Structure formats: structure tokens, C-alpha cells
Amino acid sequence: MALRLPAPTFEHKIVSFEELAERRAQLPEPVVMTNGVFDILHRGHVTYLAQARELGKSLIVAVNSDTSADRAAVLASLEAVDLVVIFKEKVPLKVIEEAHPDIYVKGGDYRIEDLPEASLVASWGGRTVTVEFEHQRSTTALLKKVRGA
């Protein structure tokens, strides 16, 4: 006999743009935010997200909407992640403005001075940091390895 169980609790971490400001206001501060595709989640991603979370008390992850919402659920299931929001724009400036993070984080392959997000976050006194990659993993390299196997 198959049991019908309630939805996993991590599902409540996925929020719409319209809910974002209200849900962000309920998070412990400082609030950290990052964004990305996170298409094939690997050790580099989860390490990066855990390290980003360590910079504050809460972590919001904005994920590109270019594929299914399954990625939002996978990210929401991670212990380090407090909220996940999906965005459509190339650069999530509207989402960042709505979330109003205290700290905005990108991977070590970015230069802060090249990020339009950095000046936006600085406009309300927040700061932007980049985090060096602990595990040199990439989705591209992973796909090459799988295809070559």
C-alpha cells in the first residue's frame, strides 16, 4: 500500500517575486544573497552555498528560470539555503533590490568591479564579496567527463 505523504517542508522555501520582500523580512540578519544557474548541482556548488551562508545568518538564492523549477526544489532542500526565488532577467537586479541583502556573494571567477549588482547593493550600505572556489568543479567539466565515459 502506497502512502500519500505531505509535501516536504523545504517546499515552503521557494517563494515568488511577489512574496520575496515579506519573507526576507522574517529572516535573521545579516541576510546573504547569491544567484546562478545551478544546473547540475555538484560539490563545488554546495560548498559555495554553505560558505556563502556562513557570511551571515540567512541565505537567499536566486536561480535562473531558463529550465524547470526542479532546480529550485533541489536548492531549497539544502540546509544552507533559507529562500529560493526564480528570476527571468539575465542579471537579477530587480530580485536583488526586492531582497535587499546585507551581503551579496558571487564566485571567485567574478570581479566585483564588473558586477552591476555590487553598486546596487552598495546603494543601501550592503557589501559584495567573492568567494574562492574550494573545489574546482564546473558543470561544463562534469558534462565533458560524462560524455567521454
Side-chain angles (χ1 to χ4, degrees):
M1 172 179 176
L3 296 176
R4 179 148 182 92
L5 299 173
T9 57
F10 66 77
E11 295 279 348
H12 79 280
K13 294 181 183 181
I14 303 169
V15 299
S16 67
F17 177 82
E18 294 75 22
E19 300 171 285
L20 182 57
E22 180 181 338
R23 293 288 299 277
R24 184 266 189 241
Q26 298 169 6
L27 295 175
E29 294 188 351
V31 172
V32 178
M33 183 174 190
T34 191
N35 67 280
V37 178
F38 303 105
D39 46 4
I40 299 176
L41 205 60
H42 52 69
R43 184 177 184 177
H45 286 139
V46 296
T47 299
Y48 166 77
L49 292 170
Q51 289 173 330
R53 169 65 186 274
E54 290 298 316
L55 295 171
K57 299 282 186 184
S58 305
L59 177 63
I60 299 172
V61 178
V63 63
N64 296 76
S65 67
D66 57 358
T67 60
S68 79
D70 286 350
R71 287 178 301 122
V74 171
L75 288 165
S77 73
L78 298 175
E79 180 181 12
V81 176
D82 292 284
L83 293 179
V84 176
V85 61
I86 299 170
F87 68 96
K88 297 177 182 154
E89 303 78 19
K90 184 175 181 177
V91 179
L93 294 176
K94 291 178 186 175
V95 172
I96 293 168
E97 189 166 19
E98 194 72 8
H100 218 273
D102 302 297
I103 304 164
Y104 180 69
V105 181
K106 289 298 281 183
D109 54 339
Y110 287 89
R111 292 173 2 124
I112 293 173
E113 55 270 19
D114 295 337
L115 296 170
E117 303 97 302
S119 57
L120 176 62
V121 173
S123 73
W124 57 74
R127 66 185 174 110
T128 298
V129 299
T130 58
V131 175
E132 287 186 27
F133 293 124
E134 180 92 13
H135 302 283
Q136 290 299 323
R137 304 283 192 273
S138 77
T139 301
T140 304
L142 182 60
L143 287 173
K144 283 181 183 178
K145 183 178 179 180
V146 169
R147 288 178 180 143

